[in-house]
Each structure stands twice: as C-alpha cells, then as structure tokens.
Amino acid sequence: MHQIQLHNTLSGKVEPFAPLRPGHVGMYTCGPTVYDYAHIGNYRTFVFQDILRRFLKLRGLKLNHVMNLTDVDDRIIANAAAAGVGIREYTEKFVQAFFADCRTLSIESPEHWIRATDHIDDMVVLIRKLQENTYTYASEGSIYYRITKFRDYGKLSKVDLSGIQAGARVDNDRYEKESARDFALWKAPKPGEHFWETPIGVGRPGWHIECSAMAMKYLGETLDIHTGGIDLAFPHHENEIAQSEAATGKQFVRYWLHAEHLLVEGEKMSKSLGNFFTLRDLFAKGYKPSALRFALASVPYRRQLNFTFDGLQQATSSVERLRNFTARLKNEKFPAGNQPGMAERVKNAADEFDAGLSDDLNTAQALAAVFDFVREANTVMDKGEFRQGDVAAAAEFLGNFDKVFAVLEDNDGEKLKVIGFGGGDAGLGDAEIEKLVAERQAARARRDFAASDRVRKELLDRGIILEDTKDGKVRWKRK
RNA sequence: GGCGCGGUACCCAAGUGGUAAGGGAGAGGUCUGCAAAACCUUUAUGCGUGGGUUCGAUUCCCACCCGCGCCUCCA
C-alpha cells in the first residue's frame, strides 16, 4: 500500500495524508443548495468526494462523513414565496430528487445528512461565541463578521485584502457594512420573509455560518478533510475558516480538497447557452447512470472535465468492456489449478491501482491498471491457460476496484426506475428471452441461419444482445 | 489587474530529465455459419509556440500564444 497523498488547497501542495486520530477520518462536504434540481457539474464534485470516501474506506479508515443540505438561502426564499409555499415544503421536493440522483450515481450516503434549518440553534450559539470574541458588529438588525479582525483571512484562497477596494466589482449590498468584504452571519428579515426568533434577534442565518456550526457539531473543532467545488474556496470556505477559527482558536480544517469544474463542450455550463444538464436530461437521452459515473470519475478531480456526449458514449463502451470481463470471469468454467504468473499479475495490478488512487486520487492511472489487467487476463483466457484457482484473486481485485468506482454491477435499469425512468428493457422478461434464445438455437442446429439471425435481430431491437460461446451455448445480456 | 487550473495522437487522458500508460474510435487480422465478445497488429520521431540549461527535455528555466475558472450567487 502506498502513502495516501492529497492536494491541500491550504498549502497549494500535494501532502501526505494522515488523520488527526489514527484510523479515523472526519470529513465534511458542502452539499447542494436545494432550490432546484442539481446538475451534472454538481455531480462531478459529489462523485469526486464519493470516490475519496470510498477509497479511504477501502484503505481501512473509519469515516465520519457529514454532508449538508442548504435549505435556506435567497433563491429558496424567493422561489418558495413565488410558489406560495413554505421553504420546507419547497425544498423537500429537491431534497428527495437529490437523494434519488445520488442513488442512481451510486454515491454512498455519508454518515450524516443534515439540513441547515435543523441547526439554527447551533448557528446561534456559534454567532454568540463570535460576539463574545468581538469579531462581529450589528447593523440594521443584521450581524456581520469583521474580517479585518481575523489575521489569517485569505490564507485559503490567497486573496489579498489590501488590494480589494469597494467599487465597481464589489457590491456594497443592500445591507450596511463597515467593509465590503465583511459578510453576514445573521440577516435581518425583509418584509414577508421566513424568519426565526432567536436570542440574537429575529432573522435568518447567513450562508457561511451553517457549515461552520454543523461541521464542528458533528466532527469536532478540527476536521481532517473538507471538500467542495473550487468555486467555494472563496468566499465560502474562507469565511468558514474565519468563523470557526475565530470562535475556537483552533485550526478548523487540516486538508481542504477542491474539485475543478466541469465544462460542457469546452464552455461553461449555463442555462443561457442551452448546455445545462441534469441527470434526468441525460437519462432521457438513453445514457446509463454507470456511464455518467464513469465519465465523471475517470478524469482526475483537479482537472477541468470537459463533458461531451462523445465522451459519455466512450464511457459507456469502457464500462461495457469491464462488465464483459466480469461476466466472463464469473460464468466461464476454467480447468482446475492455477496459472503460473496470474497471482503476480493480480498483485501488480492491485499495487498500481492503489498507487494511482493514493497519488491524490489519480483515477486515470488507477483505471489504466485495471484495463491492463483485464487485457492480460483475457489473453490468458483466450489461450485457454486461465485456471479456476485464479478466479478468486482476480474477482477480489475487481471487487476492490468496484468498491471505489462502483460501475460493474449491471443494474442501470433498476437505478433508472428510482429516478422515474422505465429503463431500456421495456417489458421483455427473462422467460421470454430464454424462449427466443432456444428457438434460435434450434434454428442454428438445423443450420437455418436466416431464421437464427432473424431471432437475434429481433432480440437486439428489443435491447438484448446475444453472444455465442465456444462451447455452443448462448450468453445474453441487456443493452 | 490578482489568484488558480490546463494546452500530449481522430476523441478522452496518464506520465517522466533518458527517449510517449490506459480507454474510446478507425483500419487490417485471428476466432465465428455470420455476428458479438475477446485477442493480435496498426494510428504522436511527437507532447501549444519561441528561446535557454543539459550529453540528453514532452518533463527544468524564461518569454509568448490559446482555453477555462475564481476574485459577485455558484459544485
């Protein structure tokens, strides 16, 4: 096993990773703001943190991973008001959609899913602490954080406060602030807005306070890992540091990991460009959840990922190749014994796989190790030299691969049902397929290839692929 | 302007101071009744451009060009 190395935004370097408490990792991920369906760019980041958590677990670390759902912010308040419902009611639909999306992408549930609006009290406690420590000031019913008081401000995103002037690009806002970069911890309610009555006043929390309060509640004052999209580094994560460290005097996060953004056909994804996709958009076009997960996971997280439909098709083929091998390993009968050298090949592949992921989650390198092995093993099988005794080790390697990548199981149809799509196999049951396969076999036996090919074509049109094996049997699978 | 990613074959993409992983796609072949799957061969004397350092650079240094992100809500 290789030393795990992770890129820390704080230092700007790839560093050896060691949790504060040996064997246990406390990790926080900024989840979605549930004002709408999440898009594939969001899921690039969520798949990244999923790969990270799965890899840490594979390496035997115990995880305590917290992901929040931001269910109160300006957009939610505005949208809920427009829809004439409460914010809880408004957000619930998108929370459920997000959970369903995560299931289709095989994103594991973190140990804790938490909502901002369930933690108002914790935020209030934290704000009071900041008041005690004199990092705040009140203005027109709101409470602001005075960033000049926090010496380390800017250490994460490397922003230079001296160079920032309030002016053209810095909105002085509708609130009264001492300095343009000061941010709201607590916002006075505007007429008609949803508000909470608390010891620090009537209103609602600012955007950043929820993550500081909840992260420390569940993970303690110092977390091992905090992840999010690169755009969150500033100001969100910078402000989280300011809030948390000003309250505790301790380092808030030891390793900050940020995923680069996804582009679509080389351009920023945006609704105005018409290149904005949710998972539902892609599944409606017939792409599989596993293909999307593979496409999102195969490009290392610190590299911008250029999403294209061609790329998604390529991912589909890659997953297919891996699944074909998995099926072959499982279904083919090999002679007893062991093939000399196979154990060594598995060991090398596993080592290279681990080396890739250990090196700041180099998924491309890890995948290369898997594909190399698949080719080698296929070759040995084709030569008839693979042995039954080799199956377990090969299967274990693939199993470990899939504990991280989670694309091998052929369950895309079921996943699509979770999200409300019928799936591609439209009604053809196993029995019916077997019956047609038997018909075709009979035709082949009497060398009536026209009839045989007709059946094969019919099945193909209905999403079933047939493969004739060497021993005269037929294997079928759903497209 | 400041900070940060990146420019490697038709597409995606790894990588190293010593002569270019892997996947997809294409072409040819093996196998097959034919396919499919799988395997084999093949597709970058070349890694944005121009200099420099070096015995040797895609890899280090300098300059420049191009794409993208953040600096304002944003994964």
Side-chain angles (χ1 to χ4, degrees), chain A residues 344-354 366 369-370 372-373 376 397:
Chain A
E344 187 71 14
R345 286 176 198 274
V346 172
K347 187 167 163 289
N348 290 343
D351 185 68
E352 186 64 15
F353 180 73
D354 184 67
V370 175
D372 272 333
F373 173 73
E376 289 173 1
F397 171 59

Side-chain angles (χ1 to χ4, degrees), chain A residues 33-336:
Chain A
T33 301
V34 283
Y35 71 104
D36 199 349
Y37 292 106
H39 54 69
I40 56 172
N42 296 309
Y43 288 111
R44 198 274 164 107
T45 302
F46 296 132
V47 167
F48 143 66
Q49 59 81 26
D50 186 60
I51 296 284
L52 173 62
R53 63 164 280 137
R54 285 167 171 275
F55 176 58
L56 294 175
K57 279 171 64 183
L58 179 65
R59 287 289 298 260
L61 294 159
K62 288 268 182 293
L63 266 186
N64 188 12
H65 180 199
V66 177
M67 186 169 341
N68 75 308
L69 297 160
T70 297
D71 59 354
V72 52
D73 87 326
D74 289 341
R75 292 165 297 187
I76 289 171
I77 289 171
N79 291 0
V85 297
I87 63 173
R88 192 79 184 199
E89 187 182 340
Y90 178 78
T91 56
E92 188 59 27
K93 174 182 168 192
F94 298 113
V95 168
Q96 292 311 320
F98 178 67
F99 287 162
D101 282 358
C102 284
R103 262 174 277 151
T104 65
L105 283 182
S106 295
I107 292 170
E108 284 189 340
S109 255
E111 281 63 35
H112 299 280
W113 282 117
I114 53 176
R115 286 173 177 244
T117 54
D118 289 336
H119 296 80
I120 302 293
D121 291 348
D122 301 295
M123 298 181 215
V124 168
V125 168
L126 182 58
I127 292 170
R128 295 188 83 172
K129 181 73 181 165
L130 289 169
Q131 288 176 322
E132 281 168 32
N133 294 358
T134 69
Y135 281 88
T136 70
Y137 59 91
S139 174
E140 300 188 351
S142 293
I143 301 171
Y144 293 97
Y145 186 101
R146 183 182 285 120
I147 62 169
T148 50
K149 170 93 180 176
F150 185 67
R151 291 283 166 122
D152 282 343
Y153 196 84
K155 70 178 174 181
L156 179 72
S157 54
K158 318 294 186 278
V159 295
D160 180 2
L161 285 183
S162 63
I164 296 165
Q165 316 112 355
R169 304 222 62 194
V170 180
D171 182 8
N172 268 318
D173 216 284
R174 42 205 177 273
Y175 304 106
E176 213 41 57
K177 292 192 283 189
E178 284 180 8
S179 163
R181 289 299 174 110
D182 289 347
F183 57 91
L185 295 165
W186 189 257
K187 293 183 174 183
K190 284 179 272 185
E193 271 188 4
H194 188 93
F195 62 84
W196 283 263
E197 289 186 53
T198 75
I200 55 170
V202 174
R204 62 189 175 93
W207 172 33
H208 315 293
I209 196 69
E210 63 178 70
C211 287
S212 288
M214 298 191 291
M216 291 197 288
K217 174 173 183 170
Y218 292 93
L219 298 168
E221 292 174 340
T222 299
L223 344 180
D224 289 307
I225 298 175
H226 191 129
T227 73
I230 185 67
D231 56 300
L232 293 183
F234 188 88
H236 185 53
H237 292 160
E238 197 70 70
N239 291 346
E240 282 185 48
I241 291 173
Q243 293 167 338
S244 307
E245 300 192 355
T248 67
K250 294 177 186 161
Q251 181 172 22
F252 174 47
V253 171
R254 301 174 62 241
Y255 298 85
W256 284 96
L257 272 57
H258 291 104
E260 263 296 344
H261 274 188
L262 169 151
L263 306 175
V264 174
E265 307 283 355
E267 293 183 294
K268 181 172 179 169
M269 181 167 62
S270 73
K271 286 183 177 166
S272 60
L273 283 171
N275 62 359
F276 185 96
F277 299 109
T278 64
L279 299 199
R280 288 160 173 78
D281 295 332
L282 299 183
F283 299 152
K285 290 174 186 284
Y287 294 99
K288 290 181 176 183
S290 56
L292 180 59
R293 179 174 167 96
F294 188 93
L296 296 178
S298 59
V299 177
Y301 77 96
R302 282 207 300 131
R303 187 178 235 270
Q304 285 178 345
L305 187 158
N306 186 18
F307 175 86
T308 63
F309 286 99
D310 183 49
L312 195 50
Q313 190 52 51
Q314 292 182 15
T316 303
S317 301
S318 298
V319 170
E320 196 57 31
R321 177 170 170 76
L322 295 174
R323 287 184 178 175
N324 284 339
F325 178 73
T326 308
R328 187 176 190 187
L329 191 64
K330 186 180 164 197
N331 299 326
E332 210 162 302
K333 291 290 167 251
F334 307 100

Side-chain angles (χ1 to χ4, degrees), chain A residues 297-434:
Chain A
S298 59
V299 177
Y301 77 96
R302 282 207 300 131
R303 187 178 235 270
Q304 285 178 345
L305 187 158
N306 186 18
F307 175 86
T308 63
F309 286 99
D310 183 49
L312 195 50
Q313 190 52 51
Q314 292 182 15
T316 303
S317 301
S318 298
V319 170
E320 196 57 31
R321 177 170 170 76
L322 295 174
R323 287 184 178 175
N324 284 339
F325 178 73
T326 308
R328 187 176 190 187
L329 191 64
K330 186 180 164 197
N331 299 326
E332 210 162 302
K333 291 290 167 251
F334 307 100
N338 286 280
Q339 199 270 333
M342 187 49 68
E344 187 71 14
R345 286 176 198 274
V346 172
K347 187 167 163 289
N348 290 343
D351 185 68
E352 186 64 15
F353 180 73
D354 184 67
L357 290 179
S358 295
D359 183 11
D360 197 28
L361 300 181
N362 188 336
T363 48
Q365 186 188 336
L367 285 170
V370 175
F371 281 105
D372 272 333
F373 173 73
V374 166
R375 192 191 57 251
E376 289 173 1
N378 268 324
T379 301
V380 173
M381 288 177 182
D382 281 359
K383 287 184 185 162
E385 292 171 3
F386 199 86
R387 295 289 174 265
Q388 202 59 36
D390 303 322
V391 171
E396 186 191 3
F397 171 59
L398 284 178
N400 284 339
F401 153 73
D402 210 46
K403 279 180 187 167
V404 179
F405 281 83
V407 292
L408 291 184
E409 199 182 340
D410 189 3
N411 59 358
D412 290 289
E414 292 150 45
K415 284 179 168 168
L416 287 171
K417 280 174 195 150
V418 168
I419 206 170
F421 285 82
D425 48 88
L428 253 198
D430 288 9
E432 198 171 350
I433 293 165
E434 297 289 359

Side-chain angles (χ1 to χ4, degrees), chain A residues 427-472:
Chain A
L428 253 198
D430 288 9
E432 198 171 350
I433 293 165
E434 297 289 359
K435 182 168 161 279
L436 287 165
V437 166
E439 268 177 37
R440 173 169 172 273
Q441 284 293 70
R444 288 180 77 206
R446 60 177 189 270
R447 302 192 71 77
D448 181 357
F449 296 120
S452 153
D453 290 351
R454 222 166 22 243
V455 177
R456 182 167 66 191
K457 179 69 166 55
E458 185 194 337
L459 281 165
L460 182 64
D461 290 344
R462 301 178 71 176
I464 307 300
I465 296 167
L466 299 192
E467 293 176 7
D468 299 333
T469 62
K470 272 202 170 120
D471 54 14

